[in-house]
């Protein structure tokens, strides 16, 4: 049942920090201000120290013009990979049952 993917998905904050904000030519402070969040909150997301919540995904999706689903899906993939890694031994012990 363990995930065969060896490398974890990239945290959405890293994508925002390394790709999106530079492409938009906008500073973290400006992005935070325009989205109505604190710089501290933005920096924690960019450092992958904080998850992108549904509320933040809505803000990011509007700000970047690509919709909240992208940001939530990236966060979900990141979280699920880490959960599977942490629970790998336990998950192997759980039987898989199908409805009849």
């Amino acid at each position: 049942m363990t995930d065969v993917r060896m490398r974890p998905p990239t945290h959405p904050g890293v994508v925002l920090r390394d790709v999106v904000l530079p492409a938009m030519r906008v500073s973290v402070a400006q992005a935070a201000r325009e989205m109505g969040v604190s710089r501290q909150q933005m920096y924690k997301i960019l450092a992958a120290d904080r998850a992108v919540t549904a509320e933040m995904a809505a803000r990011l999706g509007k700000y970047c013009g690509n919709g909240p689903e992208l940001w939530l899906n990236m966060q979900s993939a990141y979280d699920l990979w880490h959960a599977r890694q942490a629970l790998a031994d336990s998950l192997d012990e759980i039987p898989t049952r199908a409805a009849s």
Side-chain angles (χ1 to χ4, degrees), residues 83-96:
R84 283 181 168 160
Q85 297 305 306
L87 298 172
D89 293 337
S90 299
L91 293 177
D92 288 341
E93 300 299 319
I94 298 172
T96 300

Side-chain angles (χ1 to χ4, degrees), residues 2 4 7-8 17 19 23-24 27 31 34 41 49-50 53-54 59 62 64 67 69 73-74 80 82 91 95:
T2 58
V4 297
R7 188 184 75 73
R17 179 191 71 212
V19 179
M24 295 171 72
S27 70
E34 291 176 348
Q41 183 177 0
D49 289 338
R50 180 174 286 176
T53 63
R59 291 174 187 273
K62 172 66 168 99
C64 300
E69 293 83 6
N73 288 340
M74 281 194 285
L80 185 56
H82 284 282
L91 293 177

